[in-house]
C-alpha cells in the first residue's frame, strides 16, 4: 500500500536558522512528489514538485527539496527561515499509474521563534 | 481570476440532516477531488472524478455522495449516515498530475 511518513509532528526553529522537514514514502510505482503548505483555516498551496529529471528541485518562497530514490525520501529545506514560514507542511505522493491520486503525510507544524 | 471556489466557508449540520458543500473551478481541469482533513491525520480522499459524469470512491467514501454533471462543479453531500462529520473539507482540481486546492469548508455539528 502507498504511504507517506512525516516523522516530525512539530518543529520549532529560530528565525534565520535553517530548516529541514523530512518525508519518506512507500510507493509501488515511479512517484510524483509534492510539498504543500497550509496556513490555519486555509487551503493548501503548492510549494514545489518533482516529476523527473534533476533530483534537486526549487520551489516558491526560497524552498527546495531533494529526491533520493535509494532512501525513498523527499526532504524539504530552506536555508533561512522567516517568521512568515510558520504553517503546516504536507508531503504528498502520486503517480499516473494510480490515476494521479495523491497520498498525503500527516503534516509537520512549523513554529518560528524570534 | 482562475481558481477553485468552495462555499460556504462555515457550515453547521443538525442531527439527521444532509448538507451539501459546493466546489466550483474555472481552471478547465478535468479531474476534481474531495478530501477530509482532521487534526494530525493529513488529508484523506473521499471521492474523485476524472471526467464529467464519472466518479470513484476514495478511501473514506462511506456517508458521503457526489455528482459531476458539469466540468466546473463537483458538489459533496454529507449524509446523515456520516456519524462524525465534523472536519475541514478541501476540494481540489488537477491537470498534468498537479492538484490545486480551494480554501476549504469547515463543517460542524450542532
Amino acid at each position: 500500500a502507498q504511504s507517506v511518513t512525516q516523522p516530525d509532528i512539530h518543529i520549532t526553529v529560530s528565525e534565520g536558522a535553517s530548516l529541514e522537514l523530512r518525508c519518506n514514502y512507500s510507493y509501488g510505482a515511479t512517484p510524483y512528489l509534492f510539498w504543500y503548505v497550509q496556513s490555519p483555516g486555509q487551503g493548501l498551496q503548492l510549494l514545489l514538485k518533482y516529476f523527473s529529471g534533476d533530483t534537486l528541485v526549487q520551489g516558491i518562497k526560497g524552498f527546495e527539496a531533494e529526491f533520493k530514490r535509494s532512501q525513498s525520501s523527499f526532504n524539504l529545506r530552506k536555508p533561512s527561515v522567516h517568521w512568515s514560514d510558520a504553517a503546516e507542511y504536507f508531503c504528498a505522493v502520486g503517480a499516473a499509474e494510480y490515476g494521479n491520486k495523491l497520498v498525503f503525510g500527516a503534516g509537520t507544524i512549523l513554529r518560528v521563534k524570534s | 481570476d482562475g481558481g477553485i471556489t468552495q462555499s460556504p466557508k462555515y457550515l453547521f449540520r443538525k442531527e439527521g440532516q444532509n448538507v451539501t458543500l459546493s466546489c466550483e473551478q474555472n481552471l478547465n481541469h478535468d479531474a476534481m477531488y474531495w478530501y477530509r482533513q482532521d487534526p494530525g491525520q493529513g488529508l484523506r480522499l473521499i471521492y474523485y472524478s476524472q471526467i464529467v459524469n464519472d466518479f470513484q470512491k476514495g478511501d473514506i467514501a462511506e456517508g458521503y455522495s457526489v455528482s459531476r454533471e458539469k466540468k466546473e462543479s463537483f458538489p459533496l453531500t454529507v449524509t446523515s449516515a456520516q456519524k462524525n462529520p465534523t472536519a475541514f473539507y478541501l476540494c481540489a482540481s488537477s491537470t498534468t498530475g498537479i492538484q490545486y486546492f480551494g480554501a476549504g469548508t469547515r463543517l460542524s455539528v450542532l
Side-chain angles (χ1 to χ4, degrees):
Chain A
Q2 301 86 13
S3 67
V4 177
T5 302
Q6 293 181 245
D8 304 304
I9 299 173
H10 297 98
I11 281 187
T12 299
V13 300
S14 297
E15 192 168 14
S18 63
L19 171 70
E20 183 170 31
L21 302 183
R22 296 180 291 163
C23 173
N24 293 95
Y25 65 90
S26 173
Y27 214 68
T30 302
Y32 305 153
L33 295 151
F34 305 86
W35 276 98
Y36 286 87
V37 61
Q38 184 182 36
S39 297
Q42 300 296 316
L44 273 65
Q45 180 183 21
L46 180 66
L47 280 177
L48 47 77
K49 62 189 182 295
Y50 172 79
F51 278 33
S52 63
D54 192 346
T55 56
L56 184 63
V57 294
Q58 304 297 319
I60 62 171
K61 304 184 181 187
F63 285 92
E64 67 178 26
E66 186 171 12
F67 172 54
K68 294 185 177 180
R69 185 185 299 274
S70 61
Q71 298 176 22
S72 298
S73 69
F74 189 56
N75 294 348
L76 181 71
R77 301 193 293 248
K78 186 170 184 177
S80 177
V81 169
H82 187 262
W83 63 266
S84 61
D85 293 325
E88 190 163 14
Y89 292 80
F90 292 94
C91 181
V93 178
E97 292 91 328
Y98 296 113
N100 292 319
K101 294 183 293 180
L102 294 184
V103 176
F104 284 83
T108 297
I109 296 172
L110 173 64
R111 298 185 178 125
V112 180
K113 57 181 182 179
S114 54
Chain B
D1 282 340
I4 301 165
T5 301
Q6 290 189 240
S7 63
K9 190 169 177 65
Y10 300 96
L11 187 58
F12 297 90
R13 193 190 89 167
K14 295 179 181 178
E15 203 70 38
Q17 185 182 39
N18 294 351
V19 293
T20 297
L21 285 62
S22 171
C23 179
E24 304 276 333
Q25 55 101 357
N26 59 5
L27 300 169
N28 200 34
H29 290 171
D30 286 318
M32 297 186 74
Y33 308 79
W34 274 106
Y35 294 91
R36 171 179 171 140
Q37 185 177 21
D38 296 283
Q41 296 193 45
L43 278 69
R44 293 181 290 168
L45 183 63
I46 304 172
Y47 269 98
Y48 65 103
S49 167
Q50 294 183 309
I51 198 166
V52 175
N53 292 321
D54 188 42
F55 51 82
Q56 286 78 40
K57 293 181 179 180
D59 300 319
I60 55 165
E62 186 174 350
Y64 301 96
S65 65
V66 294
S67 63
R68 187 84 187 277
E69 297 176 359
K70 300 187 298 181
K71 187 175 186 177
E72 305 78 21
S73 179
F74 191 40
L76 173 74
T77 297
V78 184
T79 75
S80 57
Q82 173 49 249
K83 297 306 179 187
N84 183 25
T86 297
F88 191 53
Y89 291 86
L90 286 159
C91 176
S93 68
S94 78
T95 182
T96 61
I98 302 170
Q99 291 191 20
Y100 300 90
F101 285 81
T105 293
R106 185 165 300 279
L107 175 63
S108 302
V109 176
L110 286 177

